[in-house]
């Protein structure tokens, strides 16, 4: 169903209060079981969570129930201690872990590339966090989106260079997109949100050096539509600049934590509250209805 934006809206004056209400109405812990991040919380060790988060965010596309199954299938060969497993196995052994895995754009070979890249990072820098910080040009903290995007691109390019296969396969590039390419990189920015914010039961707060104020909105088709309805996004193309526009619009409400509404907004769609057209069934009681211009 096509949608229209009325009168090129600017955000409603009460939008911040409505977003706060949306966040408070969202049962975060219950919704975690319907979100890829739920898989990450099944692990307790920080270095395992980093690794699981990179796998889970990379596969966080498609229908939630199906993608959560794909994440479980991808993680199963790594056992209860993925970091330990990755340190123990040779590249050849890693390459044989997912002989039959397939999930839409992603094949077992792409997972093996990712596993090999992480294993080599564990050997060289010791952790994914250390690799990220190595790209932060000596900063003790990353506090702006510009600095974060630079470090994020370094992080991705380093991981890509440590893959197993000689060629940079399309499926592996999709699993690990480079922000410098200009796309929204929704799943990669989701990973960074998980690492930076919290811990709050959703985001894990494992990388305190990456300040939440530097994060970029993990913008996808669904959240971009909601942001348009709310006057947070005017750019027509869904790309990196659109993600930055939304991030900057949200930073006007809270510059230190602009993404704090992201989970609740995202779950307005995952929970089938918003079906992207006005509906007598879905709109009444929607926490952002008073600001929705659809
Ligand atoms: S008011 Fe209706 S169309 Fe607007 S965001 Fe809420 S559910 Fe979606």
């Amino acid at each position: 169903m096509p949608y229209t934006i009325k009168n090129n809206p600017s955000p409603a004056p009460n939008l911040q209060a409505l977003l706060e209400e949306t966040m408070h109405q969202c049962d975060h812990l219950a919704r975690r079981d319907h979100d890829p991040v739920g898989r990450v919380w099944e692990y307790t060790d920080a270095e395992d969570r980093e690794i699981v988060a990179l796998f889970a965010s990379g596969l966080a596309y498609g229908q939630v129930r199906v993608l959560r199954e794909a994440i479980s299938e991808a993680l199963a060969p790594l056992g209860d201690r993925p970091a330990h497993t990755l340190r123990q196995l040779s590249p050849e052994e890693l390459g044989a872990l997912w002989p039959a895995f397939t999930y839409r754009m992603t094949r077992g070979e792409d997972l093996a590339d990712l596993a090999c890249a992480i294993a080599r990072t564990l050997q060289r820098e010791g952790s994914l966090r250390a690799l990220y910080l190595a790209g932060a040009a000596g900063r003790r903290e990353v506090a702006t989106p510009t600095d974060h995007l630079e470090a994020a691109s370094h992080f991705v390019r380093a991981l890509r260079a440590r893959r197993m296969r000689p060629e940079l396969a399309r499926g592996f590039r999709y699993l690990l997109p480079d922000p410098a390419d200009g796309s929204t990189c929704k799943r990669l920015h989701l990973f960074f949100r998980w690492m930076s914010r919290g811990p709050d039961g959703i985001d894990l707060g494992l990388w305190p050096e990456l300040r939440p104020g530097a994060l970029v909105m993990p913008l996808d088709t669904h959240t971009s539509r909601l942001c348009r309805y709310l006057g947070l996004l005017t750019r027509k193309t869904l790309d990196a600049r659109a993600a930055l526009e939304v991030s900057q619009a949200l930073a006007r409400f809270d510059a230190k934590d602009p993404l704090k509404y992201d989970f609740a907004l995202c779950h307005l769609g995952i929970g089938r509250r918003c079906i992207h057209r006005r509906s007598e069934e879905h709109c009444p009681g929607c926490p952002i209805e008073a600001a929705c211009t659809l």
Side-chain angles (χ1 to χ4, degrees):
M1 172 72 68
Y3 64 95
T4 54
I5 303 295
K6 293 177 189 167
N7 302 327
N8 190 23
S10 54
N14 60 345
L15 179 56
Q16 184 174 8
L18 295 172
L19 290 173
E20 288 288 331
E21 181 62 23
T22 304
M23 188 172 65
H24 292 306
Q25 279 191 20
C26 178
D27 186 343
H28 285 69
L29 285 186
R31 294 307 308 169
R32 193 171 85 182
D33 291 337
H34 304 276
D35 190 279
V37 80
R39 291 283 181 256
V40 187
W41 283 91
E42 292 169 8
Y43 297 76
T44 54
D45 188 86
E47 66 175 356
D48 289 330
R49 284 178 164 180
E50 283 185 344
I51 294 163
V52 169
L54 198 56
F55 273 85
S57 60
L59 292 166
Y61 62 97
Q63 196 189 10
V64 173
R65 182 186 59 77
V66 184
L67 72 85
R68 279 173 55 92
E69 289 172 3
I71 293 168
S72 295
E73 186 183 343
L75 293 172
L78 299 179
D80 294 339
R81 295 295 314 276
H84 178 75
T85 303
L86 292 178
R87 284 195 175 96
Q88 296 300 311
L89 298 184
S90 67
E92 292 70 29
E93 289 170 320
L94 291 173
L97 286 184
W98 295 276
F101 181 91
T102 177
Y103 174 62
R104 297 181 61 169
M105 295 282 292
T106 309
R107 301 287 175 269
E109 296 91 331
D110 303 317
L111 297 181
D113 269 341
L114 182 62
C116 189
I118 297 172
R120 286 171 171 159
T121 299
L122 295 179
Q123 285 170 5
R124 295 179 197 184
E125 285 85 7
S127 69
L128 291 172
R129 175 184 174 190
L131 175 63
Y132 173 82
L133 291 174
R139 296 179 192 89
R140 292 172 60 187
E141 65 173 27
V142 177
T144 69
T146 302
D147 291 345
H148 170 48
L149 287 171
E150 190 180 310
S153 187
H154 175 277
F155 177 80
V156 167
R157 282 184 274 117
L159 284 170
R160 283 180 171 187
R162 296 170 185 184
R163 66 188 182 270
M164 182 160 38
R165 288 174 291 182
E167 75 279 9
L168 183 57
R170 185 161 169 254
F172 184 47
R173 279 188 280 122
Y174 189 75
L175 202 55
L176 203 57
D178 184 351
D181 292 343
S183 64
T184 59
C185 294
K186 179 248 180 176
R187 292 164 291 121
L188 185 72
H189 289 310
L190 190 60
F191 168 76
F192 289 124
R193 196 199 81 199
W194 293 348
M195 294 298 100
S196 169
R197 294 192 70 256
D200 59 4
I202 299 296
D203 299 317
L204 295 112
L206 296 174
W207 294 5
E209 301 88 349
L210 173 55
R211 308 305 301 156
L215 294 172
V216 176
M217 181 76 170
L219 198 63
D220 61 13
T221 307
H222 169 69
T223 47
S224 68
R225 287 180 175 183
L226 287 176
C227 289
R228 288 184 209 283
Y229 307 160
L230 298 175
L232 297 169
L233 175 63
T234 56
R235 184 171 172 77
K236 292 189 170 60
T237 309
L238 186 55
D239 60 7
R241 288 171 64 185
L244 276 173
E245 184 185 337
V246 172
S247 308
Q248 288 165 358
L250 291 171
R252 288 200 289 273
F253 301 140
D254 188 342
K256 290 186 175 172
D257 193 8
L259 268 53
K260 66 183 180 185
Y261 307 122
D262 178 37
F263 184 85
L265 270 180
C266 184
H267 278 257
L268 278 180
I270 293 177
R272 300 298 291 164
R273 160 76 79 172
C274 184
I275 57 171
H276 302 295
R277 59 181 166 79
R278 281 285 174 173
S279 146
E280 288 187 7
E281 182 185 352
H282 294 88
C283 295
C286 168
I288 53 174
E289 185 179 16
C292 177
T293 59
L294 189 65

